[in-house]
Amino acid sequence: MEQRLDKTMAVLERTPGALDAMLRGLPEEWTRSNEGEGADGAETWSAFDVVVHLINCEKTDWVPRARTILESKDGEVREFPPFDRWGEIRESRTKPIGEVLDTFARLRAENLAKVRTWQLGPEQLAMRGRHPALGEVTLSELMATWAAHDLNHLHQISRVMAHQYREAVGPWKKFMGVMVCEGHGA
Amino acid sequence: MEQRLDKTMAVLERTPGALDAMLRGLPEEWTRSNEGEGADGAETWSAFDVVVHLINCEKTDWVPRARTILESKDGEVREFPPFDRWGEIRESRTKPIGEVLDTFARLRAENLAKVRTWQLGPEQLAMRGRHPALGEVTLSELMATWAAHDLNHLHQISRVMAHQYREAVGPWKKFMGVMVCEGHGA
């Protein structure tokens, strides 16, 4: 289906509540454990780390990129500001999960309020920016990606948590896709 | 990590709230759309269908199987009652999603209350039943699988929803694992 702002916002509004319901108060073995070393030998993310990544994206990715697009003039296509995938993660690990869930919910609500003030129409949504690796993208694609990125990380958190029970489930492991999903690099 | 009842229950308690926060009130294009035809040519499940499947599992899978194990005597290993993967799905599609979310939350709460009355200890958790395809399994593995199965279906719902935006995200598709995940048969 096509990106439509009300459908995109409906997902974006619900993610903080979904993560809160899923993670707040859980034993830390669920929220602080990761999948070990990734295929590239790098450290992987815990559910906690993913929430911090979402916070970092609220601050430095979606809205700043949208502004870059909306502030361009005369058909100019401006490059997005840099984004650090590991931003805030390592230095946030001493925080309680309740605090990062609260921060994420607050930033998301503020950002969606900002987006609503922009009153985006088809003309704005067709405007373009330049992604450092992907080249030209539209504001519509950026908005769709914001929502899909939430789903991508819910998908990841479910997988990272399930990974902790890969031995505990015994022979059932082979019946659950989540146990064999390797994350496809994301 | 090992199955421990408090950790398992902590996940099981949270799933209805997580699904509710994620799905209630969403435009139906998100909740009623599936991934098209599966690799085997069969119809795939929408987010709505998955919640109905979870309801059916609360009724006919976890607790009945646990009872089969706990009611066995003198070291007997009894076969689990049959389970229908498509149970209730097609006939439930006329219901509103709020209704199935309510039903799932109620059944899950009732089942967890039942489990608490059993006061399971190491001796019970080591008891066995026979799965029609997997052979002998322990009650501990069944309990771990109940929780992991929730995560498996949260993983699936995230993927099924993300699938609806696979074109809308434009070139970002290749950066999101959820877009290329094929579900691994689950």
Side-chain angles (χ1 to χ4, degrees), chain A residues 61-62 65-66 69 80 83 127-146 148-149 152 186, chain B residues 165-180:
Chain A
D61 192 324
W62 313 111
R65 285 179 172 187
I69 294 174
F80 292 146
F83 175 74
M127 290 174 74
R128 290 167 181 275
R130 182 170 289 108
H131 185 286
L134 298 172
E136 284 194 24
V137 291
T138 65
L139 181 56
S140 176
E141 288 163 350
L142 178 72
M143 296 301 297
T145 300
W146 191 358
H149 179 264
N152 192 55
Chain B
Y165 260 12
R166 67 198 179 283
E167 302 303 331
V169 298
W172 265 292
K173 184 174 168 180
K174 66 179 172 192
F175 277 11
M176 287 184 282
V178 72
M179 294 289 181
V180 290

Side-chain angles (χ1 to χ4, degrees), chain B residues 52-117:
Chain B
V52 175
H53 167 68
L54 292 172
I55 288 173
N56 185 45
C57 290
E58 290 303 303
K59 291 182 186 170
T60 70
D61 191 324
W62 313 111
V63 166
R65 285 179 172 187
R67 279 196 204 284
T68 299
I69 294 175
L70 289 166
E71 289 167 3
S72 66
K73 293 203 172 67
D74 308 319
E76 175 202 15
V77 177
R78 295 168 60 194
E79 178 128 343
F80 291 148
F83 175 74
D84 174 11
R85 217 178 143 263
W86 276 90
E88 297 197 40
I89 291 184
R90 291 195 180 87
E91 59 271 35
S92 297
R93 286 182 175 152
T94 53
K95 295 181 182 171
I97 194 150
E99 181 182 331
V100 300
L101 289 165
D102 287 342
T103 303
F104 174 54
R106 181 177 54 76
L107 292 172
R108 172 60 58 90
E110 288 171 7
N111 279 337
L112 296 184
K114 254 177 235 162
V115 170
R116 283 194 195 90
T117 65

Side-chain angles (χ1 to χ4, degrees), chain A residues 95-165:
Chain A
K95 295 181 182 169
I97 194 149
E99 181 181 331
V100 300
L101 289 165
D102 288 342
T103 303
F104 174 54
R106 180 177 53 79
L107 292 172
R108 172 60 58 89
E110 288 170 8
N111 279 337
L112 297 184
K114 254 176 236 162
V115 171
R116 283 193 194 92
T117 65
W118 296 342
Q119 301 197 296
L120 300 174
E123 205 178 314
Q124 285 81 36
L125 289 167
M127 290 174 74
R128 290 167 181 275
R130 182 170 289 108
H131 185 286
L134 298 172
E136 284 194 24
V137 291
T138 65
L139 181 56
S140 176
E141 288 163 350
L142 178 72
M143 296 301 297
T145 300
W146 191 358
H149 179 264
D150 279 5
L151 298 169
N152 192 55
H153 285 295
L154 279 164
H155 186 253
Q156 180 182 20
I157 286 175
S158 313
R159 187 186 72 233
V160 175
M161 287 177 58
H163 180 83
Q164 313 311 321
Y165 260 12

Side-chain angles (χ1 to χ4, degrees), chain B residues 116-184:
Chain B
R116 283 194 195 90
T117 65
W118 296 342
Q119 301 197 297
L120 300 174
E123 204 178 315
Q124 286 81 36
L125 289 166
M127 291 175 73
R128 290 168 180 275
R130 182 170 290 109
H131 185 285
L134 298 172
E136 284 193 24
V137 291
T138 65
L139 180 56
S140 176
E141 288 163 350
L142 178 72
M143 296 300 298
T145 301
W146 190 359
H149 179 265
D150 280 5
L151 298 168
N152 191 55
H153 286 295
L154 279 164
H155 186 253
Q156 179 183 20
I157 286 175
S158 312
R159 188 186 72 232
V160 175
M161 287 177 58
H163 181 84
Q164 312 311 321
Y165 260 12
R166 67 198 179 283
E167 302 303 331
V169 298
W172 265 292
K173 184 174 168 180
K174 66 179 172 192
F175 277 11
M176 287 184 282
V178 72
M179 294 289 181
V180 290
C181 182
E182 285 167 6
H184 323 283

Side-chain angles (χ1 to χ4, degrees), chain A residues 23-48:
Chain A
L23 301 177
R24 191 180 294 262
L26 263 193
E28 293 211 334
E29 285 158 293
W30 286 120
T31 54
R32 304 278 180 163
S33 302
N34 63 23
E35 295 171 291
E37 220 173 63
D40 55 357
E43 189 188 8
T44 58
W45 287 352
S46 66
F48 180 93

